Amino acid sequence: MIKAVTGTKDILPEDITRWKYLEQRVEKIMQSFGFREIRTPVFEETALFARGIGEATDIVSKEMYTFNDKGGTSLTLKPEMTASVVRAYIEHSLGAKQPLNKLYYISPMFRQERPQAGRLRQFHQFGAESLGGTSPSLDAEMIIIAYDILSSFDLKNLTVKINSLGVPESRNNYKNILKEFLQDKVNGLTEESRKRFQTNILRIFDSKEEPDQLIMKDAPLLIDKLDQESKDHFEQVRALLDIAGIPYEIDAKLVRGLDYYTKTTFEIVSGSVGSQNALCGGGRYDLLIEQLGGKPAPGVGFAAGIERILLACENENTLMVPQEKPDIYIIRIDKELNREVFDVALNLRRKGLAVEFDYLDRSVKAQMREANKVNAGYVIFIGGDEYRNNEFVFKNMLKGTQEIFKLNEINEIHHKLKEEANASEKT
Ligand code: AMP
């Protein structure tokens, strides 16, 4: 039997209601902050990610799904969205059309990582990018949007971590200071960190291995060596988070995996999901647009992992979204009334109601069981004595009450549903 590829997951109908609820919430909050949706292709030229994310990052060096198409072009399934959004921003001259572009997305991403709880090879992110402004309000709003979305799902176990990586000059100076500090300690580091010492020294802070952490706990910190401009910017972001009532902690070791960050970086972690605990992360990238060939413009953004958020919700017993249910289930009492049932269902469906009936020739009892199982709001019975009297029975499943109407009123029954919905809204 052929199964889904390792690290990929089917999202079955019973899961979809939660996904949709989450997506609608994301859309609503993004729109209230003035963000507009962008969709980009699932694959891009490999060079975009190599240049945009950085050759030395884990993503580019070992996790990308890269292949040559029949024309010999190297393509990659997108491992993250920022590079793609920036590519589209440059390609369509969005910066010339308006000075500040606030964009959001919901999209699948692909990374060939070792699958484990909360880590997939095809996963989904929502996120946002503000392109064109350096204002600390834009940084703060990224954190606020992410936090507001997560809190709107009643997630409790959240920690917001923020840091500043400064501008390239202060970061490069700091890298030399860190190099000097580590020079005589390199041999004590794990193999992975020894590699990072050569290629991406800041990432050694990301290591969860004990020997690395033991050495790094005394390392000088970038936040203490920041340039004045970055320091001021960071202070302003913090002040705005205070206004917004966002609880945060400063994590001077938060360097994040990607090369393109400048100044603010942040992550929101959950205590409810095990070792892969980052629900979202992001930061400012004032040089990326230029690096990818655009007219210099600053940017800031974040991405959040939908599967991980849903896992946190599951573990905290939140986001209990009711399953979708039909408005009406039509029960066919007499077998020969197939066409009548088909016709009524079609008419009501075309009026916008969700209508179900039996396709499997089941007994009246079995149809009733099904109507209960799918949680139908109302049941229409077609057949029996009532049908012979040109009538039908209409049952309110919640109240357990029933009424009899004339058959020629059946296609207008949606008015009745509306009336009852209005009445119950008033009470
Ligand atoms: P990143 O783009 O690496 O900063 O990731 C942003 C968010 O996407 C993370 O905080 C996770 O919630 C989610 N994420 C990243 N990689 C994976 C993965 N392999 N599987 C599931 N979620 C992921």
Side-chain angles (χ1 to χ4, degrees):
M1 201 195 91
I2 298 175
K3 294 196 170 157
V5 174
T6 307
T8 68
K9 249 189 181 165
D10 298 307
I11 305 165
L12 297 174
E14 69 224 42
D15 307 321
I16 284 290
T17 36
R18 296 170 82 227
W19 277 79
K20 277 198 182 154
Y21 182 86
L22 180 146
E23 288 164 2
Q24 282 161 7
R25 181 59 57 88
V26 168
E27 284 170 357
K28 194 157 184 283
I29 293 182
M30 290 291 185
Q31 282 161 10
S32 70
F33 280 82
F35 285 73
R36 295 191 306 152
E37 188 178 358
I38 183 164
R39 300 185 190 189
T40 65
V42 155
F43 51 81
E44 299 269 3
E45 282 192 31
T46 304
L48 173 68
F49 301 119
R51 266 166 64 191
I53 303 173
E55 300 275 6
T57 59
D58 283 355
I59 293 183
V60 174
S61 64
K62 45 190 184 198
E63 294 168 1
M64 295 206 301
Y65 278 100
T66 297
F67 58 97
N68 284 338
D69 72 0
K70 292 209 169 69
T73 308
S74 178
L75 301 176
T76 294
L77 301 183
K78 60 183 167 190
E80 59 107 53
M81 192 70 174
T82 305
S84 299
V85 172
V86 168
R87 197 242 339 115
Y89 168 88
I90 298 170
E91 190 169 335
H92 303 286
S93 309
L94 298 185
K97 290 176 190 151
Q98 52 189 47
L100 181 67
N101 279 268
K102 305 210 295 184
L103 305 167
Y104 80 90
Y105 59 84
I106 303 176
S107 173
M109 304 293 160
F110 307 85
R111 293 183 199 173
Q112 192 155 4
E113 298 191 81
R114 193 168 52 80
Q116 52 177 281
R119 204 202 251 166
L120 294 153
R121 290 181 167 176
Q122 174 173 343
F123 59 100
H124 298 76
Q125 290 183 334
F126 65 81
E129 317 286 350
S130 286
L131 307 165
T134 53
S135 164
S137 302
L138 296 168
D139 305 53
E141 280 188 0
M142 288 296 163
I143 302 169
I144 296 167
I145 291 172
Y147 188 80
D148 280 5
I149 291 175
L150 295 176
S151 335
S152 82
F153 302 139
D154 288 332
L155 286 172
K156 298 276 183 301
N157 225 338
L158 301 174
T159 309
V160 180
K161 297 177 176 184
I162 62 171
N163 190 22
S164 175
L165 298 182
V167 296
E169 297 81 63
S170 56
R171 187 154 74 229
N172 287 338
N173 286 341
Y174 167 73
K175 278 185 185 168
N176 288 332
I177 296 171
L178 187 60
K179 211 167 231 164
E180 218 161 273
F181 166 80
L182 285 173
Q183 206 69 54
D184 56 353
K185 305 179 183 65
V186 180
N187 291 335
L189 293 171
T190 59
E191 194 190 332
E192 184 67 29
S193 290
R194 282 203 300 274
K195 243 189 259 159
R196 285 175 173 168
F197 179 76
Q198 300 299 341
T199 56
N200 200 350
I201 193 164
L202 291 184
R203 289 291 316 281
I204 301 177
F205 281 114
D206 274 352
S207 168
K208 300 214 164 92
E209 305 294 329
E210 211 184 317
D212 297 333
Q213 292 198 340
L214 220 64
I215 291 175
M216 297 310 279
K217 84 175 174 5
D218 299 322
L221 296 172
L222 174 50
I223 195 126
D224 299 325
K225 316 275 178 208
L226 283 184
D227 53 287
Q228 197 56 42
E229 180 196 334
S230 301
K231 238 188 236 171
D232 292 345
H233 194 270
F234 193 52
E235 284 311 312
Q236 293 184 59
V237 173
R238 290 180 55 188
L240 295 167
L241 292 178
D242 290 338
I243 288 178
I246 307 284
Y248 62 83
E249 50 188 61
I250 295 172
D251 179 353
K253 295 185 172 157
L254 180 70
V255 295
R256 311 233 340 111
L258 315 177
D259 272 359
Y260 51 58
Y261 288 118
T262 50
K263 296 184 181 157
T264 316
T265 56
F266 78 96
E267 227 168 63
I268 303 182
V269 300
S270 162
S272 307
V273 288
S275 68
Q276 298 301 311
N277 63 358
L279 299 188
C280 75
R284 176 164 280 286
Y285 47 86
D286 287 346
L287 301 169
L288 180 63
I289 296 174
E290 187 178 357
Q291 258 169 40
L292 287 175
K295 204 167 136 229
V300 59
F302 81 92
I306 297 181
E307 284 85 352
R308 258 185 229 177
I309 293 172
L310 290 176
L311 187 65
C313 290
E314 212 171 296
N315 293 344
E316 292 190 31
N317 284 320
T318 68
L319 203 67
M320 306 289 209
V321 185
Q323 292 289 318
E324 278 156 13
K325 50 189 187 191
D327 299 309
I328 296 178
Y329 193 97
I330 304 179
I331 291 183
R332 184 191 60 253
I333 297 176
D334 304 317
K335 279 212 175 352
E336 64 277 12
L337 292 176
N338 258 339
R339 283 191 188 170
E340 284 74 3
V341 169
F342 183 91
D343 185 36
V344 170
L346 184 60
N347 275 310
L348 294 175
R349 283 168 173 171
R350 284 179 170 166
K351 287 185 168 132
L353 295 182
V355 182
E356 272 295 351
F357 64 93
D358 174 53
Y359 298 87
L360 303 176
D361 249 345
R362 283 180 278 196
S363 68
V364 172
K365 211 165 143 194
Q367 291 179 59
M368 199 60 214
R369 254 201 314 270
E370 184 67 16
N372 276 314
K373 193 170 144 198
V374 298
N375 229 338
Y378 296 86
V379 166
I380 287 176
F381 294 88
I382 295 188
D385 289 343
E386 284 84 7
Y387 190 78
R388 284 184 282 281
N389 289 334
N390 280 324
E391 289 171 340
F392 71 95
V393 176
F394 183 65
K395 180 168 181 182
N396 181 325
M397 296 294 277
L398 196 66
K399 295 187 189 153
T401 53
Q402 56 185 47
E403 285 175 84
I404 292 178
F405 291 102
K406 290 276 171 231
L407 260 185
N408 62 11
E409 293 173 301
I410 203 160
N411 291 332
E412 301 306 319
I413 203 73
H414 57 292
H415 293 311
K416 181 82 188 154
L417 260 65
K418 221 179 257 165
E419 265 167 40
E420 296 213 357
N422 286 344
S424 68
E425 225 164 69
K426 276 187 199 130
T427 54

